[in-house]
Amino acid sequence: MSFVDDQVRRIDAQLDRLQLSSQALVAASPILRSTSDDSQLALGQEQRLSLERITQLQAIVKSLSTASSSRPLLRAARLQELLEQAQFTQATASALGDHAGDAYKGELEWLLIGKATAQTYGLILNTLLEQTIPLSNDIWYWDEVLGSYAYTGLYTIQTSPLRFWDWSKEIYQDARQRFDSLTSGSEGDGLQARSLSDRWRQFYGLVRESIRDRSLTDVRSKVMSPLTIARSEARQKQSHLRRLREMSASGLGVLMDEGLNFDTDDEGSIVSKGHNDEASREEWKGIVTKSVVLMETVLRNVSVLETGVGQFEDAVFISVDEDPEVLQHHAEGATPSRPVLLARKLQQILAVHMPGHITTSKRLAKEYGRPSRWIRYWLPATVLFLSSSTLLRIFVNRKAEIVIWIRDIGTTTIDFWYNWVVQPVKKIIGTIRHDEDSEIAIMSKESLKGDQASLERMVVDFAIDNPNSTDSRPLNELEISEIRAKVKEGDLTPVLKAYERDLRRPIVGTVRGDLIRALLIQIQKTKVDVEVAIGGIDSLLKSQELVFGFVGLTPSILVCVGVSRWLSGFLGSRKVGTKGKKQGRMIRVLRNIDRILTATTPSNNGMLSYKDHGLLLCEVHVLRQNSRQVLPGEIHREFLEEINDLVDIRTGVERQLRVVERIRWAYSRWL
């Protein structure tokens, strides 16, 4: 929804209040009062037709109301259809009498004209917006062409086929005129008798003479370089575009400030300078009449670039003040024939002036705007076309290699996805579920238990076989249990005592075998200690198993995120509606709004001129459209309040500048 929709809704609501104020006429109508008593059959033919006319007008007024649709503006074709259905003719206007039923019917016709005028008003505002906003892009294009000699040279190359074509047409037309003058002269009969080859040779000689004469007379091509000529042409087109943009903005500002500008009270109701209800009704009808004439005048003159903005505004107001419809309304008031004339004028605006303005604006934008895509890209397209056979030959000769490359890329992508994304995710899920297959283990679970039990048996057997190490008496069960308990704690005292004793006589201990046996037991003890240490590491790994799973998945996640962001950036660069671009666009629009408010010359009451108001409305329209996808719902509603304060020129330029500053600091988080 744009500010045009809000404006049309506001005007429609004001007109609805007028309908409510006219309900007193309904109560006084004998036609409508008799229908409530179920005596419609007793009505005369004239009254029955009057009732049908009132019902028809009420249905059309309802169709023209903005409350009946989520889209407040109707299409131009639909609006013309409703005006035709209203059947405004001079006969129906002259048939209106002075009794209450005819008075109510007349008020309904005026209400219908008012709502149709509001709809036409909104369509014209939208048309001016759609024709004005894109001109900024074309003006920026010419700024780029004029800002660098490289871009100027590129523009010269791009437009060289058009220059050559225009030059060829001029040469051909000049040679054709000379040839026609020869054939129509006294020598025409002899020239007609010549053969086709002689006549073609004669025409070719005339073409050469035209080229030679044109090269002598074309002083500009000799004095100025092609780049200078191209820059002069670009500067001229940019000037025309700026004039067209200023004229359209001025027309937009005039319509917003002067069109359907009802005086309203604090509650939004229409008030009058008169002292009675009759004066109030006459005044708003005069405003509708003046607005219709204003819209027609603006559409006729807004595309005339020969006049300046000031001359355009003066011509519009003079034309409106001197219009016969406005003068007649001031002199005679709201006569019954006035809605008929206004309906015809609205139909003429919708059927003639609006399409004519759209056609003229498109023609001017095409003539002075940036060249078409065919002109801008004919050079790379030609290079691509000429090299297409070579590229096709390369593709055909390397078809097998290209197929292998594509297959390898696909296989690598699938393997990467399965081995480095799917499998790690499955392992992480298994870890969360305590799946035995997913546990991290350096050694088996039963390895340490077996070695520990073997060490206990070895120490117990050694202590039983060497009672000398235990005070030279046999061991009982209590002592054996104590030895087992100490072995579990890592104490090998019986073995170490025997080992120390045998070290005094190593040869005897070696021959007897106790020394070697003690060494082997200590080796087994070392093995058990190593397994205990590894078990601790294993427990540590198991406690951090989920962390290691995510660490293993991190590289693949980074690769996937990087590829996805690159693809989204590559594909999103072609979409204008990305959030980042819209934020940048909003910042540039705020900058343009600040420039408009700063560079303007306010009027005596501190308000913007019509042209600057129109330019401000164009920028605000773009700002409002971009804010939908940038700001959240509640923030966007608050932002629309700021926008409404910004476009309200009655507050003055100083307050509008403060609103721009408030928007900058209040919404800097989203901009």
Side-chain angles (χ1 to χ4, degrees):
M1 184 184 297
S2 64
F3 70 89
V4 177
D5 298 335
D6 295 339
Q7 184 79 353
V8 173
R9 287 182 185 276
R10 182 181 60 82
I11 296 173
D12 188 79
Q14 293 173 348
L15 294 174
D16 287 337
R17 293 188 181 93
L18 289 174
Q19 186 181 20
L20 295 177
S21 64
S22 302
Q23 294 300 320
L25 294 175
V26 182
S29 175
I31 300 175
L32 299 181
R33 188 171 60 247
S34 61
T35 57
S36 62
D37 299 331
D38 296 331
S39 59
Q40 184 175 357
L41 296 176
L43 294 175
Q45 182 67 22
E46 182 180 353
Q47 292 178 335
R48 191 177 297 111
L49 292 176
S50 180
L51 178 61
E52 293 177 356
R53 176 64 175 170
I54 290 175
T55 305
Q56 179 188 20
L57 291 175
Q58 288 175 342
I60 297 175
V61 168
K62 184 177 180 181
S63 299
L64 289 171
S65 299
T66 59
S68 62
S69 175
S70 58
R71 298 180 60 183
L73 288 180
L74 301 176
R75 293 181 291 107
R78 175 60 176 166
L79 189 54
Q80 292 184 59
E81 180 182 351
L82 292 175
L83 287 174
E84 292 176 357
Q85 291 178 4
Q87 298 177 357
F88 284 106
T89 60
Q90 196 69 29
T92 58
S94 61
L96 293 177
D98 296 330
H99 53 81
D102 290 337
Y104 179 65
K105 186 164 44 176
E107 290 296 324
L108 275 180
E109 290 182 352
W110 269 106
L111 183 62
L112 190 151
I113 292 297
K115 286 182 175 290
T117 303
Q119 291 287 332
T120 307
Y121 176 73
L123 291 175
I124 295 176
L125 290 180
N126 271 339
T127 301
L128 291 175
L129 279 176
E130 293 173 358
Q131 299 295 333
T132 305
I133 292 175
L135 296 178
S136 300
N137 297 328
D138 294 338
I139 294 175
W140 293 340
Y141 172 79
W142 294 121
D143 284 336
E144 291 182 353
V145 172
L146 296 172
S148 171
Y149 280 97
Y151 285 111
T152 305
L154 179 61
Y155 170 73
T156 305
I157 296 174
Q158 290 173 343
T159 56
S160 57
L162 289 180
R163 300 174 189 275
F164 179 75
W165 176 253
D166 294 337
W167 178 79
S168 301
K169 286 196 302 183
E170 293 176 358
I171 295 297
Y172 174 77
Q173 292 174 358
D174 185 53
R176 185 64 181 269
Q177 291 177 358
R178 295 186 182 187
F179 185 77
D180 293 340
S181 63
L182 289 176
T183 55
S184 61
S186 60
E187 300 178 355
D189 297 336
L191 187 61
Q192 293 291 340
R194 294 182 183 179
S195 62
L196 181 61
S197 60
D198 294 336
R199 295 171 63 186
W200 176 253
R201 191 179 299 108
Q202 180 72 21
F203 181 75
Y204 180 69
L206 294 176
V207 170
R208 296 182 62 183
E209 290 180 3
S210 299
I211 295 174
R212 183 172 59 254
D213 294 343
R214 185 164 295 276
S215 63
L216 293 175
T217 56
D218 194 1
V219 182
R220 190 181 68 167
S221 61
K222 294 183 178 180
V223 176
M224 296 187 296
S225 63
L227 291 180
T228 305
I229 296 175
R231 291 177 66 86
S232 176
E233 179 182 350
R235 195 176 291 108
Q236 183 179 5
K237 290 185 176 181
Q238 187 186 44
S239 176
H240 283 89
L241 279 180
R242 285 177 175 170
R243 175 67 61 84
L244 179 61
R245 181 169 177 260
E246 291 176 355
M247 293 284 288
S248 300
S250 179
L252 184 63
V254 168
L255 289 178
M256 280 295 296
D257 294 346
E258 306 296 336
L260 294 176
N261 188 12
F262 301 110
D263 293 330
T264 58
D265 54 15
D266 295 336
E267 297 180 355
S269 301
I270 300 175
V271 297
S272 174
K273 298 178 182 178
H275 301 285
N276 51 29
D277 295 337
E278 184 66 26
S280 176
R281 286 195 294 270
E282 291 297 327
E283 183 174 349
W284 80 264
K285 293 173 185 177
I287 293 174
V288 171
T289 303
K290 185 177 180 181
S291 299
V292 173
V293 177
L294 179 65
M295 290 187 292
E296 182 184 14
T297 307
V298 168
L299 287 178
R300 284 203 314 261
N301 300 309
V302 73
S303 300
V304 181
L305 301 184
E306 288 76 11
T307 60
V309 175
Q311 297 176 354
F312 162 73
E313 295 174 357
D314 295 338
V316 167
F317 290 118
I318 292 174
S319 178
V320 170
D321 293 337
E322 296 179 355
D323 189 86
E325 300 292 336
V326 178
L327 295 177
Q328 187 176 3
H329 183 86
H330 289 324
E332 301 177 2
T335 60
S337 61
R338 188 70 54 209
V340 180
L341 300 177
L342 293 180
R344 291 176 182 175
K345 194 174 288 290
L346 287 175
Q347 290 177 329
Q348 187 178 12
I349 290 175
L350 294 171
V352 178
H353 295 299
M354 274 188 61
H357 166 71
I358 293 174
T359 303
T360 304
S361 298
K362 288 183 178 180
R363 178 180 58 80
L364 293 174
K366 183 178 180 180
E367 181 179 357
Y368 300 119
R370 71 175 71 185
S372 63
R373 293 184 178 180
W374 290 105
I375 297 176
R376 297 201 306 268
Y377 300 111
W378 71 266
L379 184 60
T382 303
V383 173
L384 182 62
F385 177 76
L386 295 177
S387 60
S388 59
S389 59
T390 303
L391 295 176
L392 183 61
R393 191 181 304 110
I394 293 174
F395 289 149
V396 171
N397 294 335
R398 296 181 175 270
K399 179 179 179 181
E401 297 180 3
I402 294 175
V403 172
I404 293 174
W405 292 344
I406 296 174
R407 186 183 298 112
D408 291 342
I409 291 174
T411 304
T412 303
T413 303
I414 294 174
D415 292 342
F416 171 80
W417 177 258
Y418 184 77
N419 295 328
W420 292 95
V421 178
V422 177
Q423 288 295 335
V425 170
K426 287 183 178 180
K427 291 181 180 179
I428 292 175
I429 295 175
T431 302
I432 296 174
R433 295 179 177 179
H434 291 285
D435 190 1
E436 295 181 357
D437 296 335
S438 64
E439 292 184 355
I440 302 175
I442 300 178
M443 65 178 187
S444 61
K445 297 180 179 180
E446 303 297 331
S447 176
L448 179 59
K449 294 181 180 180
D451 292 337
Q452 184 72 28
S454 176
L455 179 61
E456 292 178 4
R457 290 193 299 270
M458 292 170 65
V459 174
V460 170
D461 293 340
F462 184 83
I464 294 173
D465 295 338
N466 295 277
N468 294 329
S469 60
T470 55
D471 300 331
S472 301
R473 57 182 178 82
L475 300 176
N476 53 29
E477 291 297 330
L478 182 60
E479 292 176 340
I480 293 175
S481 300
E482 185 179 356
I483 292 174
R484 283 198 178 94
K486 291 183 178 180
V487 170
K488 290 180 180 179
E489 297 175 358
D491 186 5
L492 301 181
T493 301
V495 178
L496 294 177
K497 287 183 178 181
Y499 179 70
E500 293 172 358
R501 185 181 66 247
D502 291 337
L503 281 179
R504 298 190 187 99
R505 293 179 294 175
I507 297 177
V508 176
T510 302
V511 174
R512 192 169 57 243
D514 293 339
L515 182 60
I516 297 175
R517 191 177 178 184
L519 289 173
L520 294 176
I521 291 174
Q522 293 185 57
I523 292 174
Q524 180 67 18
K525 175 64 169 58
T526 303
K527 180 181 178 183
V528 171
D529 291 340
V530 171
E531 290 181 354
V532 170
I534 293 176
I537 298 174
D538 200 4
S539 300
L540 181 62
L541 292 176
K542 289 181 179 180
S543 64
Q544 302 296 324
E545 188 174 0
L546 190 61
V547 176
F548 285 109
F550 280 108
V551 170
L553 186 62
T554 300
S556 58
I557 291 178
L558 293 177
V559 173
C560 293
V561 170
V563 173
S564 62
R565 292 190 64 179
W566 179 81
L567 289 175
S568 63
F570 177 75
L571 298 177
S573 60
R574 302 182 182 182
K575 298 179 181 179
V576 187
T578 57
K579 186 174 180 179
K581 286 188 175 181
K582 289 189 177 295
Q583 289 176 341
R585 184 70 182 275
M586 290 181 65
I587 294 175
R588 292 194 299 270
V589 170
L590 284 175
R591 175 251 184 193
N592 295 336
I593 292 175
D594 189 86
R595 290 186 72 249
I596 292 173
L597 296 176
T598 305
T600 187
T601 302
S603 59
N604 296 330
N605 52 5
M607 295 169 56
L608 290 173
S609 62
Y610 294 120
K611 181 196 72 174
D612 293 331
H613 188 200
L615 294 175
L616 177 64
L617 291 175
C618 293
E619 299 296 340
V620 168
H621 178 75
V622 177
L623 183 65
R624 185 167 180 168
Q625 296 298 323
N626 291 327
S627 64
R628 293 180 180 177
Q629 299 181 3
V630 176
L631 301 177
E634 297 181 357
I635 304 300
H636 184 257
R637 286 191 291 271
E638 297 176 359
F639 184 77
L640 293 182
E641 296 178 0
E642 306 290 348
I643 293 297
N644 293 332
D645 293 340
L646 183 60
V647 297
D648 189 4
I649 64 172
R650 296 174 298 179
T651 59
V653 177
E654 295 296 331
R655 183 174 177 181
Q656 289 176 300
L657 285 172
R658 289 197 296 268
V659 172
V660 174
E661 186 65 27
R662 184 167 66 243
I663 290 176
R664 284 178 176 171
W665 64 260
Y667 304 95
S668 59
R669 175 182 174 184
W670 297 277
L671 300 179

